[in-house]
Amino acid sequence: MKIAIIGAGAIGGLVGAKLALAGEDVTFIVRGRNLEAIREHGIKLVTADGWEHTASEVRATDDYAEAGPQDLVILAMKAHQVEPVVAELPKLLGPETAIVTMQNGIPYWYFQRHGGRFEGTRVSSVDPNGAIAAGIPAERVIGCVVYPASELVAPGVIRHVEGDRFPLGELDGSTTPRVQAIARCFENAGFKAPVLDNIRAEIWLKLWGNLTFNPISSLTHSTLEDICRFPLSRGLAASMMREAQEVAHKLDISFRVPLEKRIAGAEKVGKHKTSMLQDVEAGREPEIDALVGSVVELARLTDTPTPHIDAVHILVKLLARTMSEQRGQVRLLETERLAA
């Protein structure tokens, strides 16, 4: 299968490396040091047990036209990074090209091909201008939930921490030949990729943890194990999860895992830093709107009070603003230094 992966970070790199090692025709659409590293050395995967594998046959480019039409396009960047690439996507699309979205949180397409009372409603926290929904035809989209934990440890080098599940689903819940083919492709690469008839329920199950552990970890610089083993932060996480569960129930979503079991699952991951904490420590813009802001938006849409989620949302948004101001000050000082 001819596959373009936009982004070669922790998840895009993991998926692309394993697909390439399984014999798929993989092209990474990347920039900067990742582009240089993959072009020169391929992409290296360090497995959870310490083994190293290098996929040397992959291609890397920052030119969508050079990559050309694909069988499958995987959007493997953060939710706030999707809109800037939408205008380039048509260069990767043939008549039958499917697009798999791997963003955490409530996706921009949540109410597309939904069939419920909010059919067609735009989730403005993740698609504020409507540009993503307008630029990506809903019929091309396959939903995906990302469960593995991995880290980009150096340009072109991915360390897999744990997990191998990438549930997939058509937006309308149907089981089609294309989603089955994509699932087989993932399974051949060593992943588990069950095809679900309700991908939104699985999105909520993953989001249940992301919504809570990501912002708490970024605010406290604590790992999953730290949060779950400290009674006060564990209690805060549980309160946020109960509020999110009420929002989901009003959208006809039920959870197949009890709340305490979901927390226990996060604790079992151990001393892992969430993606939001990794972003904060690296000085990158944290992924807040898709993970927390979208739930606040859906809470208002369904008239559901979410005081704990609201408070954490405010704090993490303030953290992001402070980080942005600090980055701006650093850039200004560097400009002044160069001009001196």
Side-chain angles (χ1 to χ4, degrees), residues 318-337:
L318 176 58
L319 171 64
R321 191 181 77 165
T322 301
M323 289 175 59
S324 177
E325 290 174 348
Q326 290 173 344
R327 289 194 297 270
Q329 290 169 359
V330 169
R331 286 193 295 268
L332 178 60
L333 290 172
E334 181 64 17
T335 301
E336 290 174 348
R337 184 186 67 81

Side-chain angles (χ1 to χ4, degrees), residues 133-188:
I136 303 178
E139 59 271 14
R140 289 191 182 269
V141 177
I142 303 287
C144 179
V145 182
V146 175
Y147 280 108
S150 56
E151 296 176 349
L152 178 68
V153 295
V157 182
I158 307 297
R159 184 174 74 88
H160 183 200
V161 178
E162 63 91 33
D164 59 4
R165 292 185 69 243
F166 287 92
L168 300 166
E170 294 278 3
L171 303 195
D172 63 1
S174 61
T175 299
T176 59
R178 70 171 184 175
V179 73
Q180 291 175 319
I182 295 167
R184 285 193 298 270
C185 179
F186 275 51
E187 288 160 1
N188 289 340

Side-chain angles (χ1 to χ4, degrees), residues 237-297:
S239 294
M240 294 174 70
M241 291 170 77
R242 280 190 288 269
E243 292 172 0
Q245 190 173 33
E246 183 62 25
V247 176
H249 284 169
K250 290 185 179 181
L251 293 170
D252 300 319
I253 297 293
S254 58
F255 291 76
R256 59 179 172 82
V257 175
L259 187 150
E260 276 301 321
K261 186 174 181 180
R262 181 68 180 87
I263 294 177
E267 182 178 359
K268 196 180 298 183
V269 175
K271 292 280 187 180
H272 174 64
K273 295 180 180 180
T274 67
S275 60
M276 191 179 290
L277 176 55
Q278 291 179 44
D279 286 341
V280 168
E281 290 185 342
R284 297 187 295 262
E285 181 183 358
E287 190 178 20
I288 298 170
D289 292 331
L291 299 185
V292 191
S294 61
V295 178
V296 172
E297 180 179 349

Side-chain angles (χ1 to χ4, degrees), residues 4 6 11 28 50 102 106 116 138 153 156-157 160 167 227 258 261 287 310:
I6 305 178
I11 294 302
F28 286 102
M102 287 191 172
I106 297 294
V153 295
V157 182
H160 183 200
I227 295 167
K261 186 174 181 180
E287 190 178 20
D310 294 351

